[in-house]
């Protein structure tokens, strides 16, 4: 089952908002439908957002009707801008936009249109390869018999590939290790309860779902060997933006002497921001907090806040697992030295 699939003239995705109740595939026929799918979290997770956006831009370019190259590029630029406004935190989106812009160099439109499709396919193939490799590298950190706590959703759905944090758990199991997972539900949109629990059950990995507020209990009772999460953007100093609640888990892990790992492809590292303070945090509709699954729980008129991500300062992160190697402190120099590769 492919969460994101290019069909030549349209993009097919699983509508993640309907999981796990219904497995619904939707076909997106123009770039505006892809932008809407990203905004509405039908397709979500940093690498998957980048892949979907790349295909969406390629799709948008096919529909451009221009008299000359300058006009073509100006229309392409408008399409790029609509994607850039879709979600602010995951840097994979901006990396994909940048790559697609740079791929539009040929003299004639027909060639540009084809090179944009080729570039999108390349971005997808690279994310598939990177997430598989980082998962196999990261699996070395997981010992036989480990119970791993993870947050949000970081499997094939979130990556259009093998997975990041969830990929590491899968790869450890594939290596023959006995692994159990503890999954936080990840309020407000329940990516953990809905998507991670579903993906882990498909992999036959014993899984226990907990509410976000139970994490301290489990981390303090010796029930967790390590915490692994994904990332939406990693700053040059190692500060990491990830789903809201990640920072809390990192502090709790440190307090209880439990390793805290971040797993992400290098496409999620943004060396242009020196620290987490510069990473934009998406503020989403407060109704996602006052309601669950469309059912209002909080009193009408109450003020609610809904930051979708938080920043985990680098000092709480034991290691960053990438496809180019496992990086440890000091992150500023390790990440800049373009990551020393550890052979498999
Ligand atoms: O708002 P979402 O569901 O797109 O947030 C996703 C996350 O925070 C993931 O942990 C992150 O993108 C890593 S995905 C491999």
């Amino acid at each position: 089952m492919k969460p994101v699939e290019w069909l030549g003239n349209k993009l097919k995705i699983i509508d993640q908002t309907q999981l796990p109740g219904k497995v619904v595939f939707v076909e997106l026929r123009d770039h505006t439908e892809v932008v809407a799918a990203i905004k509405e979290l039908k397709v979500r997770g940093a690498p998957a957002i980048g892949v979907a956006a790349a295909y969406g831009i390629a799709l948008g370019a096919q529909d451009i009707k221009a008299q000359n190259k300058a006009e073509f590029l100006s229309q392409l630029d408008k399409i790029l801008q609509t994607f850039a406004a879709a979600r602010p935190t995951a840097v994979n989106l901006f990396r994909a936009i940048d790559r697609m812009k740079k791929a539009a160099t040929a003299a004639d439109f027909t060639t540009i249109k084809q090179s944009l499709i080729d570039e999108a396919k390349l971005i997808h193939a690279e994310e598939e390869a990177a997430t598989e490799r980082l998962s196999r590298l990261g699996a070395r950190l997981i010992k036989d018999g480990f119970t791993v706590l993870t947050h949000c959703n970081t499997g094939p759905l979130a990556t259009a590939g093998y997975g990041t944090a969830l990929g590491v758990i899968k790869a450890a199991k594939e290596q023959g290790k006995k692994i159990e997972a503890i999954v936080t539900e990840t309020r407000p949109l329940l990516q953990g309860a809905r998507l991670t629990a579903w993906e882990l059950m498909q992999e036959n990995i014993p899984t226990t779902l907990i509410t976000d507020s139970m994490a301290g209990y489990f981390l303090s009772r010796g029930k967790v060997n390590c915490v692994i999460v994904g990332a939406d953007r990693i700053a040059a100093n190692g500060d990491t933006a990830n789903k809201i609640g990640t920072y809390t888990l990192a502090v709790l892990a440190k307090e209880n002497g439990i390793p805290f790992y971040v797993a992400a492809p290098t496409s999620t590292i943004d060396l242009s921001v020196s620290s987490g303070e510069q990473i934009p945090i998406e503020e989403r509709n407060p109704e996602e907090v006052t309601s669950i699954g469309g059912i209002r729980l909080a009193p009408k008129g109450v003020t609610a806040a809904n930051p979708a991500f938080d920043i985990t300062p680098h000092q709480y992160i034991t290691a960053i697992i990438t496809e180019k190697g496992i990086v440890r402190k000091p992150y500023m120099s390790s990440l800049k030295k373009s990551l020393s590769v550890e052979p498999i």
Side-chain angles (χ1 to χ4, degrees), residues 109-177:
F109 315 151
T110 320
T111 315
I112 295 181
K113 287 180 181 183
Q114 186 55 47
S115 22
L116 290 173
I117 293 175
D118 294 344
E119 187 67 10
K121 286 182 180 167
L122 187 64
I123 290 170
H124 192 179
E126 284 177 12
E127 291 295 39
E128 282 177 327
T131 54
E132 182 157 355
R133 184 171 163 78
L134 76 87
S135 298
R136 302 214 185 286
L137 276 177
R140 293 174 180 179
L141 301 168
I142 312 297
K143 297 201 178 88
D144 190 23
F146 261 26
T147 296
V148 182
L149 186 143
T150 190
H151 187 56
C152 196
N153 172 260
T154 59
L157 290 168
T159 56
Y162 188 86
T164 57
L166 200 152
V168 171
I169 298 171
K170 272 197 318 183
K173 191 202 171 211
E174 276 172 28
Q175 289 172 359
K177 295 170 190 164

Side-chain angles (χ1 to χ4, degrees), residues 283-291 296 298-299 301-307:
E283 288 282 343
R284 294 185 61 83
N285 191 334
E287 278 177 20
E288 293 175 351
V289 174
T290 52
S291 308
R296 168 176 274 279
V302 71
T303 301
N306 191 10

Side-chain angles (χ1 to χ4, degrees), residues 44-47 87 152-154 158-159 164 191 230-232 242-243 309:
R44 47 143 299 282
R87 296 195 72 189
C152 196
N153 172 260
T154 59
T159 56
T164 57
Q191 288 93 332
D232 287 83
N242 191 51
K243 180 53 58 192
F309 302 94

Side-chain angles (χ1 to χ4, degrees), residues 236-237 327-339:
N237 69 347
V327 179
R328 290 178 191 269
K329 296 178 198 106
Y331 293 117
M332 189 65 93
S333 54
S334 312
L335 294 175
K336 280 204 168 130
K337 267 190 236 145
S338 69
L339 306 153

Side-chain angles (χ1 to χ4, degrees), residues 214-227:
M214 293 174 189
Y217 173 89
F218 282 88
L219 287 163
S220 66
R221 299 258 170 147
K223 294 184 189 296
V224 176
N225 298 101
C226 69
V227 178

